[in-house]
Amino acid sequence: MPTPDFIREIRAAAGRQLLWLPGVTALVFDDAGRVLLGRRSDTREWAVIGGIPDPGEQPAVCAVREVFEETAVRCVVERVVLVQALEPVTYDNGDVCQYMDITFRCRAVGGEARVNDDESLEVGWFAVDALPDLDEFALFRIKQALSDEPTWFDSMSSS
């Protein structure tokens, strides 16, 4: 995923120290109950769709924008699935970030799934009982999006 310009500006002043950043994940389902996934160009792995909100951008608006930018699918947000502080990530260049992820369940309302930018090698719809290899991050979010449980919050104390 390309680094947004506003983060490059922060990095110029902050160096490689930990940046605490918002992030969104969008789980998009079609009328057949399939989930939209993209195979990332940086890792070559299948993943859920996500990104970083621009300054002042509402998280749900960001989710809709990221889905369209990456897949050409138009969607609407239905509900918040989970909110979770993720573990810090150290990138190959030494930058350290930690994300507060807000995951949304979305419904596709138009467009044809296709690679729509340079962040994905492939995009496609998958039946939830026939998913490609996915990491635990994606699997947990898909499971929560399919459940009737209320929004999931990590209530574990980090004391």
Side-chain angles (χ1 to χ4, degrees):
M1 141 179 19
T3 303
D5 290 339
F6 79 92
I7 293 177
R8 286 177 204 209
E9 292 173 14
I10 294 169
R11 278 282 175 221
R16 305 231 180 272
Q17 70 179 307
L18 178 111
L19 293 183
W20 175 248
L21 298 169
V24 301
T25 301
L27 295 167
V28 184
F29 294 89
D30 67 5
D31 291 337
R34 300 176 301 171
V35 64
L36 181 64
L37 301 174
R39 192 159 67 88
R40 296 173 53 114
S41 58
D42 58 351
T43 65
R44 303 183 102 52
E45 304 286 331
W46 285 100
V48 292
I49 310 301
I52 298 171
D54 292 329
E57 184 179 32
Q58 294 297 325
V61 171
C62 175
V64 169
R65 174 182 57 77
E66 287 288 343
V67 168
F68 182 75
E69 285 178 359
E70 294 180 26
T71 71
V73 170
R74 299 223 177 260
C75 69
V76 294
V77 171
E78 294 182 320
R79 68 180 176 95
V80 174
V81 171
L82 67 83
V83 177
Q84 183 181 34
L86 304 178
E87 293 296 320
V89 176
T90 302
Y91 292 96
D92 290 342
N93 67 358
D95 289 353
V96 182
C97 295
Q98 186 170 14
Y99 298 95
M100 172 62 73
D101 177 64
I102 303 170
T103 297
F104 296 95
R105 180 185 168 113
C106 304
R107 179 175 37 88
V109 294
E112 293 294 322
R114 64 177 169 83
V115 174
N116 206 33
D117 66 10
D118 60 357
E119 293 183 42
S120 301
L121 299 172
E122 297 177 72
V123 298
W125 294 102
F126 293 87
V128 294
D129 61 355
L131 296 170
D133 286 337
L134 292 171
D135 62 18
E136 191 56 39
F137 176 93
L139 293 172
F140 180 68
R141 280 156 176 71
I142 292 168
K143 176 183 167 231
Q144 290 302 117
L146 293 170
S147 79
D148 291 330
E149 294 178 27
T151 303
W152 183 90
F153 299 94
D154 188 344
S155 60
M156 300 294 293
S157 172
S158 62
S159 46

